[in-house]
Amino acid sequence: MTSEPEQQWGVGTQDAFQRLWTPHRMAYIQGENKPSGPGADDGCPFCAIPAKSDEDGLILRRGERVYAVLNLYPYTGGHLMTVPYRHVADYTDLTAQETAELAELTKQAMTALRTASGAHGFNIGMNQGTVAGAGIAAHLHQHVVPRWGGDTNFMPVVGHTKILPQLLADTRKMLADAWPTG
C-alpha cells in the first residue's frame, strides 16, 4: 500500500519523504537512565535492574553471576544484553566464572531468539569505554542483536530511527518463554 506524500511544514527542506517521529529515543539521547557517575551507587541502571521483577526490569534470564535483559532502547526487535551483576567496566576485569556465564547466556540468547523469532544472524559485542560508543561505560554489558535477511533499510541510516513491531513487554515474554532450560 502506498500513499501520496503529504505537505509537511516546519520539517526543513521540502522533499518526498514522510516523517516518522520517535520521541522516546530523545530521552536516551538526552541522558535518561544514564548514571550520574562511574560508581555502582551513581544511578547505574544495570545495578538497579536485578532488584526489579523480571517483567518490570525486562529480565529474560537470571544466572548466578550474569543476567540477560532486553535493551530499553533497542536497535532491532529482540535486542538484548547479557550483563554481569557485579559493577565492572572492563572485560578483562571479569572473573573466569563471570566470563563463562556471560558466554553461556549469550549462547542461550541466540537459541531463544532463533526459536522465538527466526533470527537469521546476530551482531554480538560490547563497547568498551565511552570513546568506543558505550552508553553506560562503567558497567560492562554485551549486546546480542538479532538480524534477518533484508532487515536493513534507509530508516536507521537516514532517519536515525528503528522500526520495532512489538512492545518490549511482549518481546520479553516471548523470549523468556523460548529461553532454553539448563
Side-chain angles (χ1 to χ4, degrees), residues 76 120-121 146-156:
T76 65
H120 298 149
R147 302 298 304 272
W148 296 267
D151 70 355
T152 58
N153 59 41
F154 73 93
M155 292 301 289

Side-chain angles (χ1 to χ4, degrees), residues 24-25 32-33 58 70-74 79 81 168:
H24 66 280
R25 291 287 303 163
E32 182 177 288
N33 293 323
L58 299 175
L70 283 178
N71 190 321
L72 193 56
Y73 307 99
H79 175 181
M81 297 170 292
L168 289 175

